[in-house]
Amino acid sequence: MPSWLSRISSKSSLAGATRYALTRLPKALPYPDNGSLELDNNTAERAMRPVALGRKNYLFMGSEGGGKAAAIAYTLIETAKLNNVAPQAWLTWILAQIADHKITRINDLMPWCYAAMSA
């Protein structure tokens, strides 16, 4: 702690801001040393944006089951996008394959396997 911190009121906004910064300093120290670390979370924020924009619509899914089905659909689509796979192409392929596919080999249907096959 800086020596000047004891000379100001502990309830002041300056003291609060200083304590806030000092408690987070250990987590911030790796950033100057490692250029691959991102200083912001814009990637995660952009991925969540479509869900946040449609939030009012999701209140009226019709039922809890409808909400769960929508959550599964969003998860599948976003997983495909994260693996650089066109979601519609992957889901079309999945629907053609899934009827005759063994449940023990479900990993073969994942987007990363589809990406490797179609590359």
Side-chain angles (χ1 to χ4, degrees):
M1 291 278 176
S3 61
W4 58 265
L5 190 56
S6 62
R7 290 182 280 166
I8 61 173
S9 170
S10 63
K11 295 180 181 178
S12 71
S13 58
L14 177 61
T18 303
R19 282 193 302 276
Y20 178 86
L22 288 173
T23 57
R24 282 148 180 83
L25 187 61
K27 297 261 184 186
L29 289 176
Y31 288 95
D33 297 331
N34 187 342
S36 66
L37 296 176
E38 292 187 36
L39 290 172
D40 58 32
N41 65 345
N42 284 342
T43 306
E45 295 275 339
R46 279 192 301 276
M48 292 174 12
R49 189 165 192 256
V51 176
L53 290 176
R55 188 175 300 138
K56 287 182 182 177
N57 295 334
Y58 306 148
L59 290 173
F60 306 102
M61 285 289 185
S63 67
E64 183 179 345
K68 288 181 180 181
I72 290 168
Y74 278 113
T75 300
L76 292 172
I77 290 167
E78 289 303 318
T79 301
K81 288 179 184 178
L82 286 172
N83 285 279
N84 297 320
V85 171
Q88 185 174 358
W90 175 64
L91 289 170
T92 302
W93 178 78
I94 288 288
L95 292 174
Q97 301 292 318
I98 204 159
D100 298 326
H101 201 78
K102 292 185 178 188
I103 191 71
T104 56
R105 304 210 43 209
I106 200 77
N107 194 49
D108 296 346
L109 299 176
M110 295 299 157
W112 48 88
C113 293
Y114 176 78
M117 265 188 343
S118 61

